[in-house]
Every structure is written in structure tokens, then in C-alpha cells.
Amino acid sequence: MKTAARRLAVAKSPAPPVAGAPLRLESDYVLEQHIGHLLRRSHQRHVANFEKGLGALDLTPTQFAALAKIGERGEVSQNLLGRQTAMDPATIQGVIQRLMARNLIERRADPSDRRATLLRLTPAGLALTQNAIVKVEAVSQTTLAPLDARERAALALLLQKLSGLA
Amino acid sequence: MKTAARRLAVAKSPAPPVAGAPLRLESDYVLEQHIGHLLRRSHQRHVANFEKGLGALDLTPTQFAALAKIGERGEVSQNLLGRQTAMDPATIQGVIQRLMARNLIERRADPSDRRATLLRLTPAGLALTQNAIVKVEAVSQTTLAPLDARERAALALLLQKLSGLA
DNA sequence: CGAGAAACGTACGCACACAAACAAAGCCTC
DNA sequence: GAGGCTTTGTTTGTGTGCGTACGTTTCTCG
């Protein structure tokens, strides 16, 4: 009912808003060729592959990045982790909370800096991360499937330049 | 107070959760070299440039994509627009609502298919989109600044392959 | 023709992602 | 050593982005 009512409300506007031929851009802007759109679509496709490929583990790309980085460093502050994984303090906050709720990481106050919080993996988190790393390799292969070896290397280099990592 | 209380609650766990040396991954996984991370960071950087560059217009990349596509086609259904801009039906919904709330687009029922809704630009929407297109070109230049002309062409081609557009 | 399948839009919930504003703790300089 | 700046983490608000479920309408096929 609600739906029908709303649609009627929209449809009942007779002439004022919609008069003649639709307005068009005169410029021939091609969305599909623009770097932003291409980056967005490529990233989108990879994220979809990721969530397919890790299905049972129930990890998002950002959650995985956080786990991998903590596991690499042993123990990191929340803030440093954010910088290393390119996440806002506000963003990392939610990620940490969700990982902690699943008992994959634990935190303690930094004894030498009472502002900071140190993060480390739990045994469960370590096991899950090891497991995930294997599957993530497969996901990367899926994402990169349209490219041959030379193209893959070229793309990696270009993206590193683009994102300021090279 | 709330903050202090929470921090104490965390800090008061004495030994059980945090015992000895932190757990580490034995594998030498390098987050920074993986395609997903590179795509994420590159996209992230571009979005930041975009929001800087369009500042006053107050458009997000997706909102701009929707406007540009509507302006190119004259009048499109919401669903088709979603496919053309690579957005979920659920995602395009919110975008449309926000653009409509700002009176940049308007909608009417499709006379030949009562399930569908047709979208078109308002005069204000057309003017804003024309204006935005110019600025978006500049944003793309900013994003691509680390690359020379040959690299830009190569990157565009690779991303088109990667996202299924070529 | 009529039932089932498919398409369109909507609604809700979860997870990023960032800006802005804030409190607490540390640093730094005069 | 005291005031000011910075750093760390939190909270709130807005905007994507998708899964899922839903109601309506259209299409398709027997």
C-alpha cells in the first residue's frame, strides 16, 4: 500500500516538472573512459571476487588488511595500523571493534604512552589469517585473470606510482 | 568520563589475554604489493582529489556519474542507469534520492512500463553537470599527475580489461 | 489464457570511508 | 614548569556499496 501510494504521488504530477523533450548535455563526455570510473569499477570487481573467495571466513578486504598487518608487525598501535593500511582513524575504529568482537585480536594499553592502544592477534586470529592469506592469493589470480604476466607487472607498477607507494 | 571508564575496563585485564610475546605470521605476506590493496589506495586517492576539486559543487563521484549518464541519454530508467554506472539497485536508490532532494533531477512514471521510473535532468541539474564536467577533467589530471602520457594510456587500457570494459 | 519466472523499484541492515568535533595524554618551547 | 601544539583514540553524521527480502508489474511458456 505504502509503495502504491508513493508511486501515485510521483505519477500524479501532470505537466509542470516534465514538459517537453528531456534536457541533454551537449558535450560528449564519456564516463567509461575516465580514470575515476575505471578505478572504481576495477576495485569493485576485486572486492566482489574477494568476498566470493573468502566466503566462509567472513572477512572483508579491510579486515583482512588489518589482520595481515598486525600479524606482520606483532604488535601495533591502532593509529599506526591505520596509517599502514590507509584507513582513517574513524574507519579503523569500526574495523577493530568488529575483529575484537570475533575474538580475532586483542588490545592492551601501551605502557609507555597512555594515549595509545596496542593490538595483537589472538591464536584464533593468527590461524584465521594464515588461512586467509592462501585464499587471498587465489582471489588476486581471479581478479588479474584478464591480464597476462607482463600486463600484471605493468599494472602493479602503475598503481604503485598512482597511489604514492613508488 | 565514559572514555576514561572504557579505557580502564580495557586496561584492567592483567595477564590472561596478553601473556608473552605477540603472535606473528611466519609468511612474508606483503600487503603493499597486492592488487586489491593497490586498487583500493588508488581509488581512495582519486576520490580525495575529486572531493577537493569539486568542493563547492558538493558532488560525490557516484552522484556525478549519475548526472553525466542521465545528461548523456536524456531520459533513463533508474535500473538502466544503475547498470550503466555500475551501481546496485539499492545503491542507485540513495543517490537518486539525494539528487532529487537537491532538485538536480526529476522523475516520472514510464508510460509504457508501470514498474519503471524515468529520470531526467532539471535545468539546475544540467547547469551543474556542465560545470562539473570541466572540473572533473582537472581532477583526472591531478590523479594522473604521477604518470606520463604513455603510462596513462597503458593504465587506462589495463583497467578497462580488468573491469570488463575492454 | 493463466501460472510461474523475471524485472523494477523499495526497504532494511551491515560494513567501509571520511569530515568534524572532542577529551586525554604527551611534547616542546619559552 | 606552564601554556600551547600535537598525537591518539572516540563519537557523530553523511554517503557509498552490497545482500536480502519484499510487493508490484510485466513477460513467457505451456
Side-chain angles (χ1 to χ4, degrees):
Chain A
M1 279 308 115
K2 231 184 351 181
T3 310
R6 183 164 317 182
R7 191 168 289 163
L8 279 179
V10 168
K12 81 154 181 264
S13 54
V18 178
L23 298 173
R24 283 171 181 277
L25 295 170
E26 65 258 18
S27 73
D28 48 349
Y29 180 81
V30 185
L31 184 64
E32 285 76 6
Q33 288 172 6
H34 276 64
I35 185 66
H37 192 69
L38 292 172
L39 285 170
R40 180 170 157 273
R41 282 177 93 113
S42 301
H43 180 231
Q44 191 175 316
R45 176 161 164 275
H46 175 74
V47 172
N49 289 339
F50 193 101
E51 309 206 324
K52 246 74 168 181
L54 266 79
L57 299 188
D58 205 41
L59 282 179
T60 64
T62 44
Q63 288 172 0
F64 170 73
L67 289 175
K69 208 57 174 175
I70 299 173
E72 176 189 326
R73 300 212 145 223
E75 199 166 41
V76 258
S77 79
Q78 192 168 311
N79 195 277
L80 178 59
L81 178 63
R83 268 173 289 152
Q84 302 257 327
T85 54
M87 286 187 241
D88 223 61
T91 299
I92 203 101
Q93 234 274 327
V95 175
I96 292 306
Q97 280 186 2
R98 284 181 282 273
L99 293 176
M100 221 159 29
R102 290 172 61 186
N103 197 36
L104 298 175
I105 59 176
E106 56 193 10
R107 39 192 292 177
R108 64 185 184 111
D110 186 332
S112 67
D113 184 343
R114 279 193 296 165
R115 296 169 303 178
T117 323
L118 297 177
L119 306 171
R120 54 165 71 181
L121 296 178
T122 61
L126 179 62
L128 190 84
T129 306
Q130 307 270 24
N131 194 340
I133 285 180
V134 179
K135 304 200 172 182
V136 167
E137 298 291 349
V139 169
S140 296
Q141 295 309 306
T142 305
T143 296
L144 291 171
L147 305 182
D148 64 33
R150 208 158 30 78
E151 291 173 320
R152 295 178 188 198
L155 178 63
L157 182 61
L158 291 171
L159 290 178
Q160 276 170 15
K161 283 191 183 177
L162 209 62
S163 58
L165 285 173
Chain B
M1 279 311 115
K2 231 186 344 181
T3 309
R6 183 162 319 183
R7 191 166 290 165
L8 279 179
V10 168
K12 82 156 179 262
S13 53
V18 179
L23 298 174
R24 284 172 181 275
L25 295 170
E26 66 256 19
S27 73
D28 48 349
Y29 180 82
V30 184
L31 184 64
E32 287 74 8
Q33 289 173 5
H34 277 65
I35 185 66
H37 192 69
L38 293 172
L39 285 171
R40 180 170 158 272
R41 281 177 95 113
S42 302
H43 181 232
Q44 192 175 317
R45 177 163 163 273
H46 175 75
V47 172
N49 290 339
F50 191 102
E51 310 207 321
K52 247 74 169 182
L54 267 78
L57 300 188
D58 205 39
L59 283 179
T60 64
T62 43
Q63 289 172 359
F64 170 74
L67 289 175
K69 209 59 177 172
I70 298 174
E72 176 190 325
R73 301 213 143 222
E75 198 166 44
V76 260
S77 78
Q78 193 168 309
N79 195 277
L80 179 58
L81 178 64
R83 267 172 290 152
Q84 302 257 326
T85 55
M87 286 186 243
D88 222 63
T91 299
I92 204 101
Q93 232 273 328
V95 175
I96 293 306
Q97 279 186 2
R98 284 182 281 274
L99 293 176
M100 221 160 26
R102 290 172 62 184
N103 197 36
L104 298 176
I105 59 177
E106 56 193 10
R107 39 191 291 175
R108 64 183 183 113
D110 186 331
S112 67
D113 185 343
R114 281 193 296 165
R115 295 169 303 179
T117 323
L118 296 177
L119 306 170
R120 53 165 70 180
L121 297 178
T122 62
L126 179 62
L128 190 83
T129 306
Q130 307 270 23
N131 194 339
I133 285 179
V134 180
K135 305 202 172 180
V136 167
E137 298 291 349
V139 169
S140 295
Q141 295 309 308
T142 306
T143 296
L144 291 170
L147 305 183
D148 65 33
R150 208 156 32 77
E151 291 172 321
R152 294 180 189 197
L155 179 63
L157 182 61
L158 291 170
L159 289 179
Q160 277 170 15
K161 284 191 185 180
L162 209 61
S163 58
L165 285 173

